[in-house]
Amino acid sequence: MGSKYTNRYSDVYKRDAIELVRSSGRTVTEVARELGISSESLRGWVKKARAAQEAEAGAGMSGPGGDTRDEELKRLRKLTAEQAKTIEILKKATAFFAKESDR
């Protein structure tokens, strides 16, 4: 079972405190002191929020941003295939013209 302090502060309060740290340019300790809360609590909230944001950004690869990556990957694969065909044609042409010049 969790601590009796687990739900001491609402999610909205935590979110506002985290935003205050991010936007004010002040340290976590300064903001915590101003709000009258433990600096360790606030530091933990900021750390969790940062981890969640990074996880969300990482998950974005398969989300909306992932579609553009998939499209880019398809485009690059198609371009690579076209270039491989061009190289093969040029090799054949080089071999053909090399034989012609030997005659």
Side-chain angles (χ1 to χ4, degrees):
M1 200 160 142
S3 167
K4 65 180 181 178
Y5 298 108
T6 302
N7 294 322
R8 188 174 192 176
Y9 302 104
S10 72
D11 291 338
V12 174
Y13 183 82
K14 291 177 184 179
R15 193 177 21 219
D16 290 345
I18 292 165
E19 185 58 34
L20 186 59
V21 170
R22 290 180 178 168
S23 64
S24 69
R26 291 180 287 166
T27 66
V28 171
T29 304
E30 291 171 337
V31 173
R33 192 173 297 132
E34 179 184 316
L35 296 176
I37 60 176
S38 162
S39 60
E40 288 307 310
S41 293
L42 182 54
R43 189 170 286 111
W45 300 344
V46 170
K47 188 175 180 180
K48 279 184 184 179
R50 187 176 298 127
Q53 187 178 17
E54 289 172 0
E56 190 176 294
M61 289 183 212
S62 60
D67 293 340
T68 55
R69 283 187 172 197
D70 290 342
E71 291 170 7
E72 180 71 4
L73 184 58
K74 286 179 186 178
R75 185 186 72 76
L76 292 172
R77 285 183 175 162
K78 183 178 178 181
L79 180 62
T80 302
E82 290 172 1
Q83 289 175 342
K85 287 178 186 177
T86 302
I87 290 169
E88 190 62 34
I89 291 169
L90 291 172
K91 284 181 181 178
K92 290 178 183 179
T94 302
F96 175 77
F97 288 116
K99 288 179 187 177
E100 287 292 316
S101 65
D102 290 340
R103 291 186 187 181

